[in-house]
Amino acid sequence: MSIYDTVHERSLTEAEGFWADAAADIDWQKSWDQVLDDSNAPFYRWFSGGQLNTCYNALDRHVEGGRADQVALIYDSPVTDSKRSLTFRELRDETALFAGALAANGIGKGDRVIVYMPMVPETLIAILACARIGAVHSVVFGGFAANELATRIDDAKPKAIVSASCGIEPARIVSYKPLLDQAIELASHKPDKCIILQRPQETAELLPGRDIDWDDAISRASPHDCVTVDATDPLYILYTSGTTGEPKGIVRDNGGHAVALHWTMKNIYDVEPGEVYWAASDVGWIVGHSYIVYAPLLHGNTTIIFEGKPVGTPDAGAFWRVVAEHKVACMFTAPTAIRAIKQQDPDGLLVKKYDLSSLRSFFLAGERCDPDTLHWIETKLGVPVIDHWWQTETGWAIASNCLGIERLPIKAGSASRPAPGWDVHVLDNDGHDVAPGTVGSIACRLPLPPGTLPGFWQANERYRQSYLTRYPGFYETGDAGYIDEDGYVFIMSRTDDIINVAGHRLSTGAIEEVLASHADVAECAVFGVADALKGQLPIGLLVLKAGVERDSAAIVADVIQMVRDTIGPVAAFKKAVVVARLPKTRSGKILRGTMRKIADNEAYRAPATIEDPIVLDEIRESMQGIGYAQET
Ligand code: COA
Ligand code: AMP
């Protein structure tokens, strides 16, 4: 048996011993009573009875343990032309002070705090300050519109919101404060306080009594110590797209999360404490939570917060400049970023411009990595390029080449083999394992390892119904794919309406809800079509109400603007077309999958139950008008 096989097998057959060993690397205030508490299966809890503080483990213990003067955080911002470094001591002190400011404003253990911030050091400080006082943070990505923020405010019911006057996109300043004000207006729940970081690029007007300037808040605060919490207490809620417009509040606990994320740094990414680790993502996404904030700091690594883009800030060499300048040992990003770089620098001339000798490995996730992209970056960098698969729900990789355990051969198109702790199966409709190489629904046998979701925020029944019901004893991932003869996992598509646009997870159902709310729209369909840069892009088909005489182009422009205003620019919804009718089965099911195949020029067979096959020809013609279904 290979080393990987031995480790993986032990992680499943002796799960409690395996994770108890990993937990020894975390500082506990009180040891756990039980490693795995299965008394309420299928809801499992890890390290119940244990007590700790996640911020203490991420900052204070490194200060006390000899890393006080090591850089903990590098802020590199080509969009503002500024850079800043904070040592573990400085980051601890600034975090303790902001924690004091939160406490002085009435925030305590268990209270929720929404963080709606751009990629600046204060965002990490706010997140860690919440963890320090046992408050539950919920970060909302800056590219979402007010309505999405309002939905999250109503679900999380935060006592406070931490935000900034603005974010900076290469082409424009994003005024966060008006979006925040609008969201609070829309929401039924109102936060008591908003702490606003005023950025020099654009200052915001503050509402007396509710809004507090970040600088004022900390100037009056005194440092706050770490508050002991239960291992099973929530650390954060991160909302992610579900199959409707109602996002799912994924909960993360403190104990299992700290144990698992710390473990991944050596075992999956093969980095040593003290090295520089860079996840080029956004703190608004799970990759940012796990690998910009928590895992590197828990493990004593230097992390980077990069306020820029892979291209255009100023060029397609931005990533390589950062790697060279800060001596990054391990980097992580989404395939879409590499496709963007490759498009602008196909020969990799900008890669050659920098000394990348510090870089040992390069990880990709967030969407399927096509073999061309994988091979291109592999050749240009000359280091192992590892595609690994995970989800907001899981918090860390379900399948990965675990470089710190044993480097397995790389197979392009595969996320490698299941990570320790993960018992991955491919199931047919009846819940039976399929033969190697056969596509099916991918499900993981319960219990999931530590660091994964214990449930949804105050909606565990919804969690059970969405993930645990179809295959009893398993967590249904929502991904479809296969496992080959060598045990390699290939993720091919989703089994639901979720699409991945530039590594951002979106629900086509949520976009449809917006289109359907237009006064002239009778019905609609949204699905993801292939895109060379972003992987997938949503397109919309609209059927108008009888008697509507407005120009179709004006209605299309309306719905595009509505999606931007309701969901946000990140949805990248730019194409829609009016059609006479939608293809349906006789029972009324809209054939989105068939339309997607037509748009992408894939072979398809109209289902026998189709109401009227002629509609498919009409749809093809309409889609040609917006640049799809070009060949017959
Ligand atoms: N705040 C406000 N607006 C934001 C935003 C933020 N934090 N992030 C993105 N947006 C806006 C962009 O300005 C853009 O608006 P536009 O329609 O006015 O141009 C829109 O949302 C889409 O943004 P994006 O997906 O970034 O597309 P892009 O065309 O600007 O850039 C890439 C394309 C490939 C360079 C970019 O998508 C990218 O860097 N992707 C990596 C994704 C990633 O790291 N994912 C995390 C998972 S690992
Ligand atoms: P998110 O929750 O935003 O991280 O999105 C999770 C989804 O992204 C997964 O369920 C997959 O559909 C997709 N995904 C993430 N990583 C990969 C990968 N390496 N290969 C294929 N799909 C991936």
Side-chain angles (χ1 to χ4, degrees):
M1 258 208 315
S2 69
I3 305 173
Y4 158 81
D5 284 315
T6 312
V7 175
H8 186 256
E9 189 178 288
R10 175 171 182 245
S11 76
L12 300 186
T13 54
E14 281 178 57
E16 295 199 63
F18 183 92
W19 292 112
D21 288 351
D25 290 332
I26 292 299
D27 282 6
W28 298 83
Q29 248 86 47
K30 177 183 170 290
S31 188
W32 51 90
D33 300 327
Q34 253 181 310
V35 178
L36 175 66
D37 176 358
D38 59 2
S39 57
N40 190 29
F43 303 105
Y44 296 86
R45 309 310 305 261
W46 288 93
F47 304 106
S48 49
Q51 293 189 321
L52 77 165
N53 181 279
T54 297
C55 180
Y56 177 83
N57 275 280
L59 300 178
D60 301 61
R61 72 164 175 161
H62 301 308
V63 176
E64 293 160 15
R67 296 192 182 279
D69 298 322
Q70 180 196 312
V71 172
L73 167 66
I74 297 168
Y75 166 59
D76 187 310
S77 170
V79 294
T80 59
D81 198 19
S82 54
K83 288 176 202 163
R84 193 182 158 202
S85 293
L86 284 96
T87 63
F88 273 98
R89 183 188 287 112
E90 289 165 338
L91 187 55
R92 192 266 321 257
D93 291 348
E94 293 209 18
T95 301
L97 202 56
F98 192 67
L102 288 175
N105 281 288
I107 318 298
K109 192 166 164 174
D111 291 333
R112 273 81 58 213
V113 176
I114 280 189
V115 177
Y116 184 59
M117 297 275 280
M119 288 287 283
V120 291
E122 287 80 359
T123 308
L124 260 79
I125 291 169
I127 288 172
L128 292 163
C130 290
R132 193 170 189 86
I133 58 170
V136 181
H137 62 76
S138 185
V139 182
V140 178
F141 176 61
F144 281 128
N147 183 64
E148 289 287 314
L149 180 55
T151 315
R152 287 153 174 81
I153 294 174
D154 275 337
D155 197 69
K157 302 193 172 38
K159 214 168 189 179
I161 299 184
V162 184
S163 189
S165 53
C166 66
I168 296 145
E169 284 292 289
R172 68 197 155 101
I173 288 190
V174 184
S175 307
Y176 276 22
K177 188 58 179 18
L179 292 171
L180 173 65
D181 290 340
Q182 201 189 335
I184 295 175
E185 180 85 33
L186 286 169
S188 325
H189 172 85
K190 312 288 174 196
D192 297 344
K193 299 283 176 204
C194 294
I195 303 183
I196 310 292
L197 176 75
Q198 295 281 22
R199 302 190 73 187
Q201 291 77 14
E202 181 180 282
T203 50
E205 217 166 287
L206 303 186
L207 187 73
R210 187 196 71 186
D211 298 346
I212 309 165
D213 183 310
W214 173 290
D215 289 340
D216 288 347
I218 54 170
S219 68
R220 280 184 262 126
S222 33
H224 203 294
D225 236 338
C226 295
V227 171
T228 301
V229 299
D230 287 344
T232 51
D233 278 342
L235 171 68
Y236 69 75
I237 308 165
L238 179 58
Y239 289 90
T240 188
S241 301
T243 46
T244 63
E246 197 189 339
K248 300 166 176 173
I250 305 300
V251 172
R252 198 77 61 209
D253 66 8
N254 275 274
H257 173 254
V259 170
L261 287 197
H262 182 281
W263 178 90
T264 61
M265 290 302 285
K266 173 66 193 157
N267 289 281
I268 294 184
Y269 300 100
D270 196 21
V271 290
E272 301 298 335
E275 292 189 308
V276 183
Y277 178 95
W278 179 29
S281 176
D282 188 289
V283 280
W285 306 114
I286 184 59
V287 173
H289 277 62
S290 292
Y291 290 103
I292 296 176
V293 187
Y294 285 112
L297 296 177
L298 285 165
H299 195 247
N301 289 100
T302 302
T303 186
I304 298 181
I305 187 154
F306 175 68
E307 192 180 28
K309 299 266 175 176
V311 294
T313 60
D315 58 24
F319 277 11
W320 321 129
R321 195 246 329 139
V322 172
V323 169
E325 198 171 315
H326 306 301
K327 305 207 169 10
V328 174
C330 177
M331 181 173 176
F332 178 171
T333 193
T336 188
I338 303 306
R339 289 194 297 267
I341 292 171
K342 180 177 162 213
Q343 218 175 52
Q344 297 203 2
D345 181 24
D347 298 326
L349 299 179
L350 291 164
V351 186
K352 290 195 200 114
K353 198 175 136 186
Y354 296 95
D355 172 7
L356 304 181
S357 55
S358 61
L359 194 69
R360 291 200 307 274
S361 59
F362 194 89
F363 283 75
L364 293 168
E367 56 177 320
R368 182 166 186 273
C369 183
D370 52 289
D372 278 356
T373 302
L374 187 99
H375 291 315
W376 184 84
I377 190 69
E378 224 170 26
T379 317
K380 297 298 171 237
L381 292 178
V383 299
V385 176
I386 310 298
D387 176 13
H388 60 335
W389 165 54
W390 48 303
Q391 311 181 315
T392 305
E393 292 85 338
T394 69
W396 59 283
I398 309 168
S400 180
N401 209 323
C402 296
L403 294 187
I405 297 175
E406 179 184 4
R407 184 170 147 197
L408 301 173
I410 292 169
K411 289 196 191 192
S414 167
S416 195
R417 299 184 61 188
W422 292 96
D423 189 4
V424 181
H425 292 252
V426 183
L427 304 177
D428 64 17
N429 283 337
D430 301 323
H432 299 122
D433 281 286
V434 299
T438 309
V439 173
S441 289
I442 307 193
C444 304
R445 193 185 289 284
L446 296 170
L448 301 187
T452 54
L453 78 169
F456 289 179
W457 179 249
Q458 295 184 336
N460 273 350
E461 202 39 49
R462 190 173 164 216
Y463 168 51
R464 187 207 295 266
Q465 274 165 17
S466 315
Y467 293 84
L468 308 178
T469 305
R470 179 148 178 232
Y471 300 116
F474 288 87
Y475 163 87
E476 187 188 353
T477 65
D479 283 316
Y482 64 94
I483 298 183
D484 75 3
E485 301 279 353
D486 300 322
Y488 279 64
V489 181
F490 290 74
I491 306 299
M492 305 309 288
S493 59
R494 292 281 312 186
T495 57
D496 54 18
D497 74 350
I498 285 172
I499 56 170
N500 243 296
V501 179
H504 309 314
R505 173 166 160 179
L506 294 168
S507 155
T508 54
I511 301 175
E512 284 184 2
E513 280 177 24
V514 177
L515 306 196
S517 70
H518 189 287
D520 295 337
V521 172
E523 60 177 352
C524 62
V526 174
F527 46 89
V529 294
D531 182 74
L533 175 64
K534 298 197 175 190
Q536 279 180 299
L537 274 181
I539 64 167
L541 270 53
L542 312 170
V543 177
L544 302 185
K545 287 180 181 160
V548 169
E549 283 178 2
R550 270 186 80 212
D551 181 29
S552 298
I555 296 171
V556 165
D558 284 354
V559 297
I560 288 173
Q561 191 60 41
M562 281 167 72
V563 172
R564 197 174 168 89
D565 293 343
T566 316
I567 296 178
V570 70
F573 182 74
K574 304 222 159 125
K575 285 195 175 171
V577 63
V578 171
V579 296
R581 50 196 176 146
L582 292 170
K584 291 181 187 171
T585 61
R586 279 190 285 276
S587 60
K589 196 169 165 283
I590 297 174
L591 296 168
R592 293 178 183 78
T594 310
M595 290 193 281
R596 182 199 65 72
K597 285 185 176 157
I598 294 175
D600 289 342
N601 286 311
E602 282 178 22
Y604 70 92
R605 195 182 310 148
T609 53
I610 190 166
E611 203 180 39
D612 182 357
I614 301 295
V615 185
L616 294 178
D617 297 331
E618 297 169 13
I619 293 290
R620 173 186 300 283
E621 210 170 295
S622 301
M623 287 196 293
Q624 283 170 345
I626 53 169
Y628 294 97
Q630 292 298 347
E631 296 148 31
T632 46

